[in-house]
Amino acid sequence: MKKQTTAQLRKSNHNLIRNVMLTEDAWTKEALAAATGLSRSTCYNILIDMLASGEAIKLSHGISDGGRPACRFQYCRTFVLFAIVLLQCENLQKSISILVTDVGGTVLSRKKYFVNTVSVEFLGELLQETVRANPGIKAIGISYPGAVRNGKTACWSDMEELTDLDLQTLLQQRLDLSLYIENDINLSAWGYAQKHRGETDTFAYIAFPRGNLPGCGLVLNGQLFQGCRGFAGEVLYIQNQDWDEQRRRLREKYGLANMVLQMLRPITALLDPDRIVVASDEISANDIAYIQEKCQAMVRHDFLPKLIFSGDHGPDNFAGLLNGVQTIYFAP
């Protein structure tokens, strides 16, 4: 393992303190030391830097317990702003949502555009306009409805006009900001992982966008697994049918439930996950009962992992995208 330089170690400690401070409104250096495992002097020195830059503010003293009351500090959440971009295709309608958030993920503004096509030029213009209106934006995160690897989109997507492009480079040339792009369902899986730390580190996350075909995100041993081309989790290719035929099948009775059932065995046999999460706000109680009944009727059904049925994957998607943007902006 490569040893960190002094500057990298300081940046890592700074990030650690930042992440802890975002969880509460006020902190003393003693409380930060206890929460981070860093020394009080390290915490204090970093707090001094944060006060000087405006990243933190000093509050009034807390209540005294008989001695001198301790100084309290608060993280300034608007010190850095992010632009969170959701490219979506729901019920065959394409849209671009742009959310401006503070560093902790509080949404400060939101705009949604329904479009017929999404070009790099149009997307870049929308983002330039957003940055001009919000000069505190320092990084941008994009949730993309298709396979993407290292900022490059592959030749399969709900937005054909953006496929097979180095989307990250093309947008960075226009914006000159840190940029993070990832597949939407991968982000949902990663967001779920952030919310369930310590509970599971190997699972599959199947999500059905509204009125659309599913995708699957895979987290293995605590890491998002993308495959060599970003293609991992493209469960549409388990069935040898084109997308129109699969959409037709989804409209049939128990169509969504049967599609889930077809995925369970290959995912389990290949990955042996702790659980499989099925996220959809269109799955009914009857669908869930049907899936559970069919699972019990399977030969060796006991090898299947725990099934968890969730609602709309949007909140998990947001959490995963926010974490990705925070990481690329604040990373050493």
Side-chain angles (χ1 to χ4, degrees):
M1 183 176 176
K2 189 176 179 181
K3 188 177 180 180
Q4 284 187 316
T5 65
T6 301
Q8 288 173 329
L9 180 60
R10 186 172 180 81
K11 187 73 178 285
S12 294
N13 290 341
H14 193 141
N15 286 337
L16 180 58
I17 289 175
R18 176 187 294 113
N19 289 332
V20 170
M21 289 185 75
L22 282 168
T23 65
E24 299 286 348
D25 285 338
W27 290 86
T28 63
K29 65 178 184 292
E30 290 79 11
L32 281 173
T36 62
L38 302 174
S39 69
R40 284 188 294 178
S41 61
T42 296
C43 292
Y44 184 69
N45 289 334
I46 291 174
L47 282 169
I48 292 299
D49 290 344
M50 294 171 77
L51 289 172
S53 68
E55 190 175 3
I57 58 175
K58 193 173 183 179
L59 302 175
S60 59
H61 290 290
I63 299 174
S64 173
D65 59 359
R68 183 179 178 182
C71 292
R72 299 184 305 147
F73 303 89
Q74 183 181 70
Y75 192 86
C76 182
R77 288 172 173 262
T78 55
F79 177 74
V80 170
L81 302 182
F82 298 134
I84 301 294
V85 183
L86 310 176
L87 301 180
Q88 296 172 303
C89 184
E90 297 180 335
N91 297 314
L92 302 182
Q93 172 64 66
K94 297 176 183 179
S95 66
I96 304 171
S97 295
I98 302 181
L99 291 67
V100 177
T101 77
D102 67 19
V103 71
T106 299
V107 177
L108 306 177
S109 69
R110 180 192 309 257
K111 291 184 179 180
K112 188 168 186 175
Y113 307 86
F114 292 97
V115 295
N116 293 322
T117 61
V118 181
S119 67
V120 174
E121 291 73 21
F122 180 61
L123 182 57
E125 288 171 5
L126 288 180
L127 289 172
Q128 287 172 331
E129 179 183 316
T130 302
V131 172
R132 282 195 297 268
N134 302 273
I137 291 175
K138 302 300 182 185
I140 297 170
I142 299 177
S143 172
Y144 180 75
V148 58
R149 181 70 167 168
N150 297 326
K152 299 178 180 180
T153 59
C155 55
W156 41 81
S157 169
D158 288 322
M159 295 187 172
E160 300 85 355
E161 58 270 38
L162 292 180
T163 58
D164 205 20
L165 296 174
D166 188 346
L167 188 57
Q168 181 163 324
T169 297
L170 290 171
L171 289 174
Q172 280 182 323
Q173 289 172 348
R174 290 167 168 80
L175 297 160
D176 194 29
L177 290 172
S178 298
L179 192 69
Y180 174 72
I181 303 176
E182 183 54 84
N183 169 263
D184 54 353
I185 312 304
N186 280 349
L187 289 170
S188 298
W190 189 242
Y192 182 90
Q194 301 309 300
K195 295 178 182 179
H196 296 268
R197 287 181 187 174
E199 183 182 323
T200 180
D201 65 358
T202 297
F203 64 91
Y205 186 105
I206 302 169
F208 288 79
R210 294 186 185 99
N212 212 336
L213 297 172
C216 180
L218 305 171
V219 174
L220 306 180
N221 298 321
Q223 300 295 320
L224 183 66
F225 180 70
Q226 299 162 302
C228 62
R229 296 171 294 164
F231 190 67
E234 292 291 335
V235 289
L236 296 179
Y237 295 91
I238 288 177
Q239 292 85 232
N240 188 28
Q241 295 174 325
D242 63 32
W243 291 8
D244 289 337
E245 174 61 18
Q246 291 190 53
R247 288 192 179 98
R248 185 194 65 76
R249 287 180 53 220
L250 264 182
R251 294 192 293 269
E252 297 175 351
K253 184 178 181 180
Y254 297 128
L256 188 153
N258 280 318
M259 193 167 284
V260 170
L261 285 164
Q262 288 178 323
M263 299 175 196
L264 297 183
R265 277 190 173 279
I267 289 174
T268 301
L270 291 172
L271 302 176
D272 189 25
D274 169 73
R275 65 188 64 183
I276 296 178
V277 181
V278 180
S280 171
D281 57 3
E282 297 180 320
I283 192 167
S284 68
N286 287 338
D287 285 324
I288 294 173
Y290 179 85
I291 292 170
Q292 292 171 334
E293 179 184 348
K294 293 294 184 181
C295 286
Q296 287 298 313
M298 286 182 181
V299 175
R300 292 307 307 265
H301 64 84
D302 53 313
F303 94 122
L304 291 175
K306 182 191 305 180
L307 284 182
I308 295 177
F309 296 94
S310 178
D312 175 31
H313 71 99
D316 289 335
N317 176 266
F318 179 85
L321 187 51
L322 177 67
N323 180 266
V325 178
Q326 291 170 332
T327 299
I328 62 114
Y329 181 72
F330 291 120

